[in-house]
Structure formats: C-alpha cells, structure tokens
Short mmCIF file of all heavy atoms in Angstrom, two decimals:
data_model
loop_
_atom_site.label_atom_id
_atom_site.label_comp_id
_atom_site.label_asym_id
_atom_site.label_seq_id
_atom_site.Cartn_x
_atom_site.Cartn_y
_atom_site.Cartn_z
N ILE Z 1299 127.77 -162.67 194.31
CA ILE Z 1299 128.98 -161.93 194.45
C ILE Z 1299 129.03 -161.21 195.78
O ILE Z 1299 128.03 -160.59 196.19
CB ILE Z 1299 129.06 -160.83 193.38
CG1 ILE Z 1299 129.05 -161.45 192.01
CG2 ILE Z 1299 130.36 -159.98 193.58
CD1 ILE Z 1299 128.95 -160.47 190.84
N PRO Z 1300 130.09 -161.29 196.58
CA PRO Z 1300 130.17 -160.64 197.88
C PRO Z 1300 130.07 -159.18 197.72
O PRO Z 1300 130.41 -158.60 196.62
CB PRO Z 1300 131.51 -161.14 198.42
CG PRO Z 1300 131.92 -162.25 197.60
CD PRO Z 1300 131.25 -162.15 196.29
N GLU Z 1301 129.58 -158.50 198.81
CA GLU Z 1301 129.31 -157.09 198.64
C GLU Z 1301 130.64 -156.31 198.30
O GLU Z 1301 130.59 -155.41 197.45
CB GLU Z 1301 128.77 -156.51 200.02
CG GLU Z 1301 128.59 -155.06 200.03
CD GLU Z 1301 127.98 -154.55 201.24
OE1 GLU Z 1301 127.63 -155.23 202.22
OE2 GLU Z 1301 127.91 -153.32 201.42
N LYS Z 1302 131.78 -156.69 198.90
CA LYS Z 1302 132.98 -155.97 198.51
C LYS Z 1302 133.39 -156.13 197.12
O LYS Z 1302 134.15 -155.22 196.58
CB LYS Z 1302 134.15 -156.42 199.46
CG LYS Z 1302 134.65 -157.79 199.24
CD LYS Z 1302 135.78 -158.22 200.17
CE LYS Z 1302 136.32 -159.54 199.89
NZ LYS Z 1302 137.14 -159.70 198.65
N ASP Z 1303 132.95 -157.09 196.39
CA ASP Z 1303 133.28 -157.30 195.03
C ASP Z 1303 132.20 -156.86 194.00
O ASP Z 1303 132.40 -156.86 192.85
CB ASP Z 1303 133.56 -158.82 194.76
CG ASP Z 1303 134.84 -159.24 195.52
OD1 ASP Z 1303 135.68 -158.48 195.86
OD2 ASP Z 1303 134.89 -160.43 195.92
N PHE Z 1304 131.02 -156.58 194.56
CA PHE Z 1304 129.84 -156.25 193.76
C PHE Z 1304 130.07 -155.04 192.83
O PHE Z 1304 129.92 -155.08 191.66
CB PHE Z 1304 128.62 -156.11 194.53
CG PHE Z 1304 127.40 -155.95 193.77
CD1 PHE Z 1304 126.84 -157.03 193.05
CD2 PHE Z 1304 126.70 -154.75 193.67
CE1 PHE Z 1304 125.72 -156.89 192.32
CE2 PHE Z 1304 125.62 -154.57 192.90
CZ PHE Z 1304 125.12 -155.64 192.18
N ASN Z 1305 130.43 -153.90 193.49
CA ASN Z 1305 130.56 -152.64 192.73
C ASN Z 1305 131.65 -152.73 191.62
O ASN Z 1305 131.45 -152.33 190.51
CB ASN Z 1305 130.76 -151.54 193.67
CG ASN Z 1305 129.54 -151.05 194.39
OD1 ASN Z 1305 128.50 -151.53 194.04
ND2 ASN Z 1305 129.77 -150.10 195.26
N PRO Z 1306 132.87 -153.21 192.02
CA PRO Z 1306 133.86 -153.26 190.88
C PRO Z 1306 133.48 -154.21 189.80
O PRO Z 1306 133.65 -153.85 188.55
CB PRO Z 1306 135.12 -153.78 191.66
CG PRO Z 1306 134.92 -153.41 193.09
CD PRO Z 1306 133.48 -153.49 193.27
N ALA Z 1307 132.90 -155.35 190.06
CA ALA Z 1307 132.46 -156.20 189.02
C ALA Z 1307 131.30 -155.64 188.18
O ALA Z 1307 131.38 -155.73 186.95
CB ALA Z 1307 132.00 -157.55 189.67
N LEU Z 1308 130.35 -154.95 188.87
CA LEU Z 1308 129.35 -154.33 188.15
C LEU Z 1308 129.85 -153.22 187.19
O LEU Z 1308 129.50 -153.23 185.99
CB LEU Z 1308 128.29 -153.71 189.09
CG LEU Z 1308 127.28 -152.81 188.53
CD1 LEU Z 1308 126.33 -153.65 187.56
CD2 LEU Z 1308 126.35 -152.23 189.62
N LEU Z 1309 130.68 -152.36 187.68
CA LEU Z 1309 131.23 -151.27 186.88
C LEU Z 1309 132.14 -151.74 185.81
O LEU Z 1309 132.11 -151.20 184.65
CB LEU Z 1309 131.88 -150.32 187.82
CG LEU Z 1309 131.05 -149.49 188.76
CD1 LEU Z 1309 131.81 -148.63 189.65
CD2 LEU Z 1309 129.98 -148.73 188.01
N ASP Z 1310 132.93 -152.72 185.98
CA ASP Z 1310 133.71 -153.47 184.96
C ASP Z 1310 132.80 -153.94 183.81
O ASP Z 1310 133.06 -153.72 182.63
CB ASP Z 1310 134.54 -154.50 185.42
CG ASP Z 1310 135.66 -154.02 186.34
OD1 ASP Z 1310 136.06 -152.81 186.28
OD2 ASP Z 1310 136.31 -154.77 187.03
N HIS Z 1311 131.73 -154.60 184.25
CA HIS Z 1311 130.83 -155.15 183.27
C HIS Z 1311 130.07 -154.10 182.50
O HIS Z 1311 130.03 -154.11 181.18
CB HIS Z 1311 129.74 -156.11 183.95
CG HIS Z 1311 128.82 -156.70 183.01
ND1 HIS Z 1311 129.20 -157.70 182.13
CD2 HIS Z 1311 127.50 -156.50 182.81
CE1 HIS Z 1311 128.12 -158.10 181.51
NE2 HIS Z 1311 127.16 -157.34 181.80
N LEU Z 1312 129.58 -153.08 183.10
CA LEU Z 1312 128.87 -151.96 182.45
C LEU Z 1312 129.85 -151.15 181.56
O LEU Z 1312 129.42 -150.68 180.57
CB LEU Z 1312 128.20 -151.07 183.42
CG LEU Z 1312 127.01 -151.75 184.18
CD1 LEU Z 1312 126.46 -150.77 185.20
CD2 LEU Z 1312 125.92 -152.29 183.21
N ASN Z 1313 131.07 -151.07 181.96
CA ASN Z 1313 132.05 -150.36 181.19
C ASN Z 1313 132.22 -151.04 179.87
O ASN Z 1313 132.26 -150.46 178.83
CB ASN Z 1313 133.36 -150.28 181.91
CG ASN Z 1313 134.51 -149.51 181.20
OD1 ASN Z 1313 134.10 -148.71 180.35
ND2 ASN Z 1313 135.63 -149.73 181.56
N LEU Z 1314 132.34 -152.37 179.92
CA LEU Z 1314 132.51 -153.10 178.65
C LEU Z 1314 131.25 -153.13 177.83
O LEU Z 1314 131.28 -152.92 176.58
CB LEU Z 1314 132.96 -154.59 178.94
CG LEU Z 1314 134.28 -154.70 179.48
CD1 LEU Z 1314 134.63 -156.22 179.92
CD2 LEU Z 1314 135.37 -154.33 178.43
N LEU Z 1315 130.09 -153.27 178.47
CA LEU Z 1315 128.86 -153.38 177.77
C LEU Z 1315 128.34 -152.12 177.16
O LEU Z 1315 127.95 -152.08 176.01
CB LEU Z 1315 127.78 -153.97 178.74
CG LEU Z 1315 126.43 -154.31 178.19
CD1 LEU Z 1315 126.50 -155.47 177.23
CD2 LEU Z 1315 125.43 -154.53 179.25
N LEU Z 1316 128.42 -151.06 177.97
CA LEU Z 1316 127.84 -149.80 177.51
C LEU Z 1316 128.94 -148.86 176.92
O LEU Z 1316 128.56 -147.95 176.19
CB LEU Z 1316 127.12 -149.12 178.68
CG LEU Z 1316 125.97 -149.84 179.33
CD1 LEU Z 1316 125.48 -149.10 180.50
CD2 LEU Z 1316 124.87 -150.05 178.27
N MET Z 1317 130.13 -148.87 177.38
CA MET Z 1317 131.16 -147.98 177.01
C MET Z 1317 132.30 -148.49 176.18
O MET Z 1317 133.32 -147.76 176.01
CB MET Z 1317 131.69 -147.23 178.34
CG MET Z 1317 130.72 -146.57 179.27
SD MET Z 1317 129.92 -145.14 178.58
CE MET Z 1317 131.24 -144.12 178.51
N SER Z 1318 132.21 -149.66 175.88
CA SER Z 1318 133.27 -150.32 175.09
C SER Z 1318 134.60 -150.24 175.80
O SER Z 1318 135.72 -150.06 175.05
CB SER Z 1318 133.36 -149.68 173.62
OG SER Z 1318 132.18 -149.91 172.92
N GLY Z 1319 134.59 -150.28 177.08
CA GLY Z 1319 135.81 -150.27 177.87
C GLY Z 1319 136.50 -148.85 177.92
O GLY Z 1319 137.61 -148.80 178.29
N GLN Z 1320 135.71 -147.79 177.62
CA GLN Z 1320 136.34 -146.49 177.59
C GLN Z 1320 135.79 -145.54 178.63
O GLN Z 1320 135.94 -144.37 178.50
CB GLN Z 1320 136.14 -145.86 176.16
CG GLN Z 1320 136.76 -146.65 175.03
CD GLN Z 1320 136.42 -146.09 173.64
OE1 GLN Z 1320 135.98 -144.83 173.60
NE2 GLN Z 1320 136.70 -146.79 172.66
N MET Z 1321 135.23 -145.99 179.71
CA MET Z 1321 134.76 -145.17 180.74
C MET Z 1321 135.82 -144.48 181.43
O MET Z 1321 136.84 -145.04 181.82
CB MET Z 1321 133.94 -145.98 181.86
CG MET Z 1321 133.26 -145.20 182.84
SD MET Z 1321 132.52 -146.12 184.16
CE MET Z 1321 131.35 -147.06 183.34
N ARG Z 1322 135.68 -143.14 181.60
CA ARG Z 1322 136.72 -142.32 182.17
C ARG Z 1322 136.64 -142.58 183.71
O ARG Z 1322 135.61 -142.83 184.29
CB ARG Z 1322 136.50 -140.83 181.87
CG ARG Z 1322 136.73 -140.53 180.52
CD ARG Z 1322 136.63 -139.06 180.17
NE ARG Z 1322 136.76 -138.76 178.72
CZ ARG Z 1322 136.08 -137.91 178.08
NH1 ARG Z 1322 135.31 -137.12 178.72
NH2 ARG Z 1322 136.30 -137.70 176.80
N PRO Z 1323 137.77 -142.46 184.35
CA PRO Z 1323 137.86 -142.66 185.80
C PRO Z 1323 136.87 -141.70 186.56
O PRO Z 1323 136.32 -142.17 187.63
CB PRO Z 1323 139.32 -142.38 186.23
CG PRO Z 1323 140.06 -142.70 184.90
CD PRO Z 1323 139.14 -142.24 183.84
N ALA Z 1324 136.69 -140.53 186.12
CA ALA Z 1324 135.90 -139.63 186.83
C ALA Z 1324 134.35 -140.11 186.85
O ALA Z 1324 133.70 -139.97 187.80
CB ALA Z 1324 135.95 -138.20 186.23
N LEU Z 1325 133.93 -140.54 185.68
CA LEU Z 1325 132.60 -141.05 185.58
C LEU Z 1325 132.39 -142.30 186.52
O LEU Z 1325 131.49 -142.51 187.22
CB LEU Z 1325 132.21 -141.39 184.12
CG LEU Z 1325 130.86 -142.02 183.99
CD1 LEU Z 1325 129.71 -141.17 184.50
CD2 LEU Z 1325 130.65 -142.37 182.49
N ARG Z 1326 133.37 -143.16 186.43
CA ARG Z 1326 133.37 -144.42 187.20
C ARG Z 1326 133.25 -144.07 188.68
O ARG Z 1326 132.48 -144.63 189.45
CB ARG Z 1326 134.64 -145.27 187.01
CG ARG Z 1326 134.47 -146.59 187.69
CD ARG Z 1326 135.83 -147.41 187.40
NE ARG Z 1326 135.81 -148.59 188.14
CZ ARG Z 1326 135.54 -149.79 187.68
NH1 ARG Z 1326 135.32 -149.88 186.38
NH2 ARG Z 1326 135.52 -150.92 188.42
N THR Z 1327 134.07 -143.06 189.16
CA THR Z 1327 134.03 -142.67 190.56
C THR Z 1327 132.59 -142.03 190.95
O THR Z 1327 132.14 -142.45 192.00
CB THR Z 1327 135.18 -141.58 190.80
OG1 THR Z 1327 136.38 -142.23 190.44
CG2 THR Z 1327 135.10 -141.12 192.17
N ARG Z 1328 132.05 -141.30 190.04
CA ARG Z 1328 130.82 -140.64 190.38
C ARG Z 1328 129.76 -141.78 190.47
O ARG Z 1328 128.82 -141.72 191.37
CB ARG Z 1328 130.35 -139.63 189.33
CG ARG Z 1328 131.21 -138.36 189.42
CD ARG Z 1328 130.74 -137.42 188.40
NE ARG Z 1328 131.56 -136.24 188.53
CZ ARG Z 1328 131.95 -135.48 187.48
NH1 ARG Z 1328 131.48 -135.75 186.22
NH2 ARG Z 1328 132.63 -134.41 187.64
N VAL Z 1329 129.70 -142.68 189.60
CA VAL Z 1329 128.72 -143.82 189.60
C VAL Z 1329 128.84 -144.65 190.75
O VAL Z 1329 127.97 -145.00 191.52
CB VAL Z 1329 128.75 -144.61 188.34
CG1 VAL Z 1329 127.86 -145.85 188.35
CG2 VAL Z 1329 128.41 -143.79 187.04
N GLU Z 1330 130.19 -144.94 191.17
CA GLU Z 1330 130.43 -145.73 192.27
C GLU Z 1330 130.01 -145.16 193.57
O GLU Z 1330 129.36 -145.70 194.49
CB GLU Z 1330 131.90 -146.08 192.39
CG GLU Z 1330 132.24 -147.11 193.47
CD GLU Z 1330 133.65 -147.75 193.34
OE1 GLU Z 1330 134.47 -147.13 192.60
OE2 GLU Z 1330 133.83 -148.74 193.96
N LEU Z 1331 130.20 -143.83 193.73
CA LEU Z 1331 129.67 -143.09 194.91
C LEU Z 1331 128.26 -143.10 194.99
O LEU Z 1331 127.68 -143.26 196.17
CB LEU Z 1331 130.29 -141.59 194.86
CG LEU Z 1331 131.68 -141.40 195.04
CD1 LEU Z 1331 132.14 -139.97 194.86
CD2 LEU Z 1331 132.10 -141.77 196.49
N ALA Z 1332 127.54 -142.97 193.91
CA ALA Z 1332 126.14 -142.95 193.90
C ALA Z 1332 125.56 -144.31 194.31
O ALA Z 1332 124.63 -144.40 195.12
CB ALA Z 1332 125.54 -142.58 192.55
N ILE Z 1333 126.08 -145.46 193.70
CA ILE Z 1333 125.62 -146.63 194.08
C ILE Z 1333 126.04 -147.19 195.52
O ILE Z 1333 125.34 -148.01 196.10
CB ILE Z 1333 125.93 -147.82 192.98
CG1 ILE Z 1333 127.31 -148.02 192.87
CG2 ILE Z 1333 125.22 -147.36 191.73
CD1 ILE Z 1333 127.69 -149.13 191.80
N ASN Z 1334 127.09 -146.66 195.97
CA ASN Z 1334 127.47 -147.00 197.33
C ASN Z 1334 126.49 -146.47 198.35
O ASN Z 1334 126.44 -146.90 199.48
CB ASN Z 1334 128.91 -146.43 197.66
CG ASN Z 1334 130.01 -147.31 197.17
OD1 ASN Z 1334 129.75 -148.57 196.96
ND2 ASN Z 1334 131.19 -146.83 196.92
N ALA Z 1335 125.75 -145.37 197.98
CA ALA Z 1335 124.84 -144.78 198.91
C ALA Z 1335 123.58 -145.64 199.01
O ALA Z 1335 122.76 -145.45 199.99
CB ALA Z 1335 124.40 -143.38 198.29
N ILE Z 1336 123.47 -146.66 198.19
CA ILE Z 1336 122.34 -147.51 198.24
C ILE Z 1336 122.72 -148.72 199.14
O ILE Z 1336 123.65 -149.45 198.78
CB ILE Z 1336 121.86 -147.99 196.84
CG1 ILE Z 1336 121.50 -146.88 196.02
CG2 ILE Z 1336 120.69 -149.02 196.94
CD1 ILE Z 1336 121.31 -147.21 194.55
N PRO Z 1337 121.97 -148.99 200.21
CA PRO Z 1337 122.43 -150.10 201.11
C PRO Z 1337 122.31 -151.47 200.35
O PRO Z 1337 121.37 -151.54 199.38
CB PRO Z 1337 121.45 -150.05 202.26
CG PRO Z 1337 120.40 -149.09 201.88
CD PRO Z 1337 120.83 -148.36 200.74
N LEU Z 1338 123.13 -152.42 200.65
CA LEU Z 1338 123.11 -153.73 199.99
C LEU Z 1338 122.74 -154.75 200.95
O LEU Z 1338 123.57 -155.44 201.56
CB LEU Z 1338 124.47 -153.95 199.35
CG LEU Z 1338 124.58 -155.11 198.38
CD1 LEU Z 1338 123.60 -155.04 197.28
CD2 LEU Z 1338 125.99 -155.19 197.83
N ASN Z 1339 121.39 -154.87 201.27
CA ASN Z 1339 120.92 -155.79 202.24
C ASN Z 1339 120.25 -157.02 201.55
O ASN Z 1339 120.21 -158.17 202.24
CB ASN Z 1339 119.88 -155.14 203.20
CG ASN Z 1339 120.50 -153.99 203.89
OD1 ASN Z 1339 121.69 -154.11 204.33
ND2 ASN Z 1339 119.77 -152.95 204.04
N ASN Z 1340 119.82 -156.95 200.40
CA ASN Z 1340 119.10 -158.05 199.73
C ASN Z 1340 119.27 -157.94 198.21
O ASN Z 1340 119.82 -156.98 197.67
CB ASN Z 1340 117.64 -158.17 200.19
CG ASN Z 1340 116.88 -156.88 199.89
OD1 ASN Z 1340 117.03 -156.31 198.87
ND2 ASN Z 1340 116.17 -156.46 200.92
N ASN Z 1341 118.59 -158.86 197.57
CA ASN Z 1341 118.70 -158.80 196.00
C ASN Z 1341 118.04 -157.62 195.40
O ASN Z 1341 118.39 -157.17 194.34
CB ASN Z 1341 118.12 -160.11 195.39
CG ASN Z 1341 119.07 -161.25 195.53
OD1 ASN Z 1341 120.34 -161.04 195.66
ND2 ASN Z 1341 118.63 -162.51 195.57
N ASN Z 1342 116.92 -157.14 196.04
CA ASN Z 1342 116.26 -155.97 195.54
C ASN Z 1342 117.18 -154.77 195.56
O ASN Z 1342 117.24 -153.93 194.68
CB ASN Z 1342 115.03 -155.71 196.35
CG ASN Z 1342 114.20 -154.61 195.74
OD1 ASN Z 1342 113.99 -154.62 194.59
ND2 ASN Z 1342 113.64 -153.77 196.64
N ASP Z 1343 118.06 -154.60 196.58
CA ASP Z 1343 119.06 -153.55 196.70
C ASP Z 1343 120.12 -153.75 195.51
O ASP Z 1343 120.56 -152.73 194.96
CB ASP Z 1343 119.73 -153.51 198.05
CG ASP Z 1343 118.74 -153.17 199.18
OD1 ASP Z 1343 117.78 -152.52 198.87
OD2 ASP Z 1343 119.06 -153.55 200.32
N ARG Z 1344 120.46 -154.94 195.26
CA ARG Z 1344 121.36 -155.14 194.12
C ARG Z 1344 120.73 -154.67 192.79
O ARG Z 1344 121.37 -154.03 192.01
CB ARG Z 1344 121.77 -156.65 193.96
CG ARG Z 1344 122.70 -157.08 195.01
CD ARG Z 1344 123.03 -158.58 194.92
NE ARG Z 1344 123.79 -159.00 196.06
CZ ARG Z 1344 125.11 -159.46 195.87
NH1 ARG Z 1344 125.57 -159.49 194.71
NH2 ARG Z 1344 125.70 -159.83 196.92
N TYR Z 1345 119.38 -154.96 192.68
CA TYR Z 1345 118.76 -154.40 191.47
C TYR Z 1345 118.70 -152.93 191.48
O TYR Z 1345 118.99 -152.39 190.37
CB TYR Z 1345 117.31 -155.02 191.46
CG TYR Z 1345 116.45 -154.40 190.35
CD1 TYR Z 1345 116.61 -154.83 189.00
CD2 TYR Z 1345 115.51 -153.38 190.60
CE1 TYR Z 1345 115.89 -154.21 188.05
CE2 TYR Z 1345 114.81 -152.79 189.58
CZ TYR Z 1345 114.94 -153.31 188.29
OH TYR Z 1345 114.18 -152.73 187.26
N LYS Z 1346 118.50 -152.32 192.56
CA LYS Z 1346 118.57 -150.79 192.61
C LYS Z 1346 119.90 -150.32 192.23
O LYS Z 1346 119.98 -149.27 191.53
CB LYS Z 1346 118.16 -150.32 194.00
CG LYS Z 1346 116.68 -150.47 194.41
CD LYS Z 1346 116.52 -150.04 195.79
CE LYS Z 1346 115.06 -150.38 196.31
NZ LYS Z 1346 114.97 -150.06 197.71
N ARG Z 1347 120.97 -150.97 192.74
CA ARG Z 1347 122.29 -150.50 192.38
C ARG Z 1347 122.47 -150.72 190.86
O ARG Z 1347 123.12 -149.73 190.20
CB ARG Z 1347 123.39 -151.31 193.17
CG ARG Z 1347 123.54 -150.81 194.53
CD ARG Z 1347 124.74 -151.44 195.25
NE ARG Z 1347 124.93 -150.96 196.56
CZ ARG Z 1347 126.00 -151.16 197.24
NH1 ARG Z 1347 126.92 -151.80 196.80
NH2 ARG Z 1347 126.06 -150.60 198.50
N VAL Z 1348 122.19 -151.80 190.31
CA VAL Z 1348 122.41 -152.03 188.86
C VAL Z 1348 121.55 -151.01 188.07
O VAL Z 1348 122.13 -150.38 187.14
CB VAL Z 1348 121.98 -153.45 188.45
CG1 VAL Z 1348 122.02 -153.65 186.97
CG2 VAL Z 1348 122.90 -154.51 189.17
N SER Z 1349 120.34 -150.84 188.42
CA SER Z 1349 119.49 -149.91 187.59
C SER Z 1349 120.00 -148.37 187.73
O SER Z 1349 120.01 -147.63 186.76
CB SER Z 1349 117.99 -150.02 187.96
OG SER Z 1349 117.75 -149.72 189.31
N THR Z 1350 120.51 -148.04 188.98
CA THR Z 1350 120.96 -146.73 189.09
C THR Z 1350 122.29 -146.55 188.31
O THR Z 1350 122.44 -145.51 187.58
CB THR Z 1350 121.24 -146.50 190.63
OG1 THR Z 1350 119.98 -146.53 191.31
CG2 THR Z 1350 121.87 -145.13 190.81
N ALA Z 1351 123.09 -147.52 188.32
CA ALA Z 1351 124.37 -147.40 187.59
C ALA Z 1351 124.16 -147.31 186.08
O ALA Z 1351 124.70 -146.55 185.39
CB ALA Z 1351 125.31 -148.61 187.89
N VAL Z 1352 123.24 -148.11 185.57
CA VAL Z 1352 122.91 -148.05 184.10
C VAL Z 1352 122.38 -146.75 183.76
O VAL Z 1352 122.70 -146.08 182.77
CB VAL Z 1352 121.95 -149.23 183.78
CG1 VAL Z 1352 121.48 -149.02 182.33
CG2 VAL Z 1352 122.68 -150.55 183.85
N ALA Z 1353 121.36 -146.16 184.54
CA ALA Z 1353 120.80 -144.96 184.38
C ALA Z 1353 121.81 -143.85 184.25
O ALA Z 1353 121.86 -142.97 183.40
CB ALA Z 1353 119.70 -144.63 185.27
N LEU Z 1354 122.76 -143.77 185.26
CA LEU Z 1354 123.69 -142.71 185.38
C LEU Z 1354 124.73 -142.78 184.23
O LEU Z 1354 125.10 -141.70 183.58
CB LEU Z 1354 124.42 -142.84 186.73
CG LEU Z 1354 123.66 -142.42 187.96
CD1 LEU Z 1354 124.46 -142.73 189.21
CD2 LEU Z 1354 123.24 -140.87 187.87
N ILE Z 1355 125.09 -143.92 183.85
CA ILE Z 1355 126.03 -144.11 182.68
C ILE Z 1355 125.36 -143.64 181.38
O ILE Z 1355 125.95 -142.90 180.63
CB ILE Z 1355 126.60 -145.54 182.63
CG1 ILE Z 1355 127.54 -145.87 183.80
CG2 ILE Z 1355 127.29 -145.80 181.23
CD1 ILE Z 1355 127.88 -147.29 183.92
N MET Z 1356 124.16 -144.15 181.26
CA MET Z 1356 123.47 -143.78 179.95
C MET Z 1356 123.01 -142.35 179.82
O MET Z 1356 122.79 -141.81 178.78
CB MET Z 1356 122.21 -144.66 179.77
CG MET Z 1356 122.68 -146.12 179.49
SD MET Z 1356 121.21 -147.22 179.24
CE MET Z 1356 120.88 -146.76 177.52
N ALA Z 1357 122.92 -141.59 180.95
CA ALA Z 1357 122.66 -140.21 181.02
C ALA Z 1357 123.91 -139.33 180.93
O ALA Z 1357 123.75 -138.09 180.81
CB ALA Z 1357 121.82 -139.89 182.27
N SER Z 1358 125.10 -139.90 180.96
CA SER Z 1358 126.28 -139.19 181.01
C SER Z 1358 126.65 -138.66 179.56
O SER Z 1358 126.40 -139.34 178.62
CB SER Z 1358 127.46 -140.01 181.50
OG SER Z 1358 127.84 -140.93 180.61
N PRO Z 1359 127.22 -137.46 179.47
CA PRO Z 1359 127.65 -136.97 178.16
C PRO Z 1359 128.63 -137.98 177.54
O PRO Z 1359 128.61 -138.12 176.27
CB PRO Z 1359 128.29 -135.62 178.48
CG PRO Z 1359 127.71 -135.19 179.81
CD PRO Z 1359 127.39 -136.43 180.53
N GLN Z 1360 129.49 -138.57 178.31
CA GLN Z 1360 130.50 -139.46 177.77
C GLN Z 1360 129.83 -140.59 176.98
O GLN Z 1360 130.22 -141.09 175.92
CB GLN Z 1360 131.33 -140.04 178.86
CG GLN Z 1360 132.49 -140.90 178.34
CD GLN Z 1360 133.30 -141.43 179.41
OE1 GLN Z 1360 133.22 -141.11 180.63
NE2 GLN Z 1360 134.18 -142.37 179.06
N TYR Z 1361 128.69 -141.15 177.58
CA TYR Z 1361 127.92 -142.18 176.86
C TYR Z 1361 127.21 -141.69 175.58
O TYR Z 1361 127.26 -142.33 174.59
CB TYR Z 1361 126.93 -142.84 177.78
CG TYR Z 1361 126.06 -143.87 177.13
CD1 TYR Z 1361 126.46 -145.16 176.99
CD2 TYR Z 1361 124.74 -143.52 176.69
CE1 TYR Z 1361 125.67 -146.09 176.38
CE2 TYR Z 1361 123.89 -144.46 176.09
CZ TYR Z 1361 124.42 -145.75 175.89
OH TYR Z 1361 123.58 -146.56 175.32
N LEU Z 1362 126.63 -140.50 175.79
CA LEU Z 1362 125.86 -139.95 174.66
C LEU Z 1362 126.68 -139.58 173.46
O LEU Z 1362 126.24 -139.49 172.35
CB LEU Z 1362 125.05 -138.76 175.12
CG LEU Z 1362 124.03 -139.18 176.19
CD1 LEU Z 1362 123.39 -137.86 176.73
CD2 LEU Z 1362 122.93 -140.02 175.67
N ILE Z 1363 127.99 -139.16 173.66
CA ILE Z 1363 128.95 -138.65 172.70
C ILE Z 1363 130.02 -139.81 172.30
O ILE Z 1363 130.90 -139.42 171.61
CB ILE Z 1363 129.57 -137.38 173.04
CG1 ILE Z 1363 128.52 -136.34 173.46
CG2 ILE Z 1363 130.39 -136.80 171.94
CD1 ILE Z 1363 129.06 -135.08 174.05
N GLN Z 1364 129.70 -140.91 172.74
CA GLN Z 1364 130.72 -142.05 172.57
C GLN Z 1364 131.15 -142.15 171.16
O GLN Z 1364 130.32 -142.22 170.23
CB GLN Z 1364 130.13 -143.32 173.08
CG GLN Z 1364 131.20 -144.41 173.32
CD GLN Z 1364 130.56 -145.61 173.87
OE1 GLN Z 1364 131.11 -146.63 173.67
NE2 GLN Z 1364 129.44 -145.55 174.52
N LYS Z 1365 132.47 -142.32 170.89
CA LYS Z 1365 132.98 -142.42 169.62
C LYS Z 1365 132.91 -143.88 169.06
O LYS Z 1365 133.03 -144.77 169.78
CB LYS Z 1365 134.45 -141.93 169.54
CG LYS Z 1365 134.64 -140.51 169.93
CD LYS Z 1365 136.00 -140.09 170.00
CE LYS Z 1365 136.17 -138.66 170.46
NZ LYS Z 1365 137.45 -138.32 170.66
#
C-alpha cells in the first residue's frame, strides 16, 4: 500500500475489526496523529505503525466500554 493510503486503510480496517465500525472521529484523529509521527521508511516502520495503532485503540475508553 502506498504511504499516502496506508493510514486511512489501516484505520478503516482496525475500526471494523476492533470497534465494529463505531470509532469516534476524535479517537481516529488521535491515533492517526500518533502513527503519523512514526516515519514510514520500510516494512518495520509499518509494523510499528500497526502495533501502535492497535495499542492505542485497545487502551482507549471507547474500546473498553464498547457496546
């Protein structure tokens, strides 16, 4: 996936997988800002972005209190 498409595709996928498509825009923005801070130079950096996004989503109150 090209860099410009990586974050939206990742967040869309995690939204469906972890949040049943109910991620609030504020959480999405926070996660996106955090993973944008990780440079995307190689596949290891992609792994870091994915693992960071998963950790942030799963640590969020929205995930923990999901209906």
Side-chain angles (χ1 to χ4, degrees):
I1299 300 174
E1301 182 177 352
K1302 68 180 181 76
D1303 298 330
F1304 184 74
N1305 286 352
L1308 172 62
L1309 292 174
D1310 288 344
H1311 180 72
L1312 293 177
N1313 183 22
L1314 289 175
L1315 184 67
L1316 300 174
M1317 304 291 295
S1318 301
Q1320 298 179 14
M1321 185 186 301
R1322 292 186 183 143
L1325 176 58
R1326 184 182 178 105
T1327 300
R1328 288 183 182 146
V1329 173
E1330 188 165 17
L1331 288 172
I1333 63 176
N1334 278 338
I1336 301 169
L1338 191 55
N1339 299 319
N1340 56 44
N1341 283 336
N1342 190 42
D1343 293 336
R1344 288 177 184 247
Y1345 173 78
K1346 288 178 189 176
R1347 282 190 178 192
V1348 171
S1349 60
T1350 299
V1352 169
L1354 290 172
I1355 291 169
M1356 292 182 76
S1358 73
Q1360 185 182 349
Y1361 174 81
L1362 297 171
I1363 306 173
Q1364 194 177 156
K1365 297 175 185 174

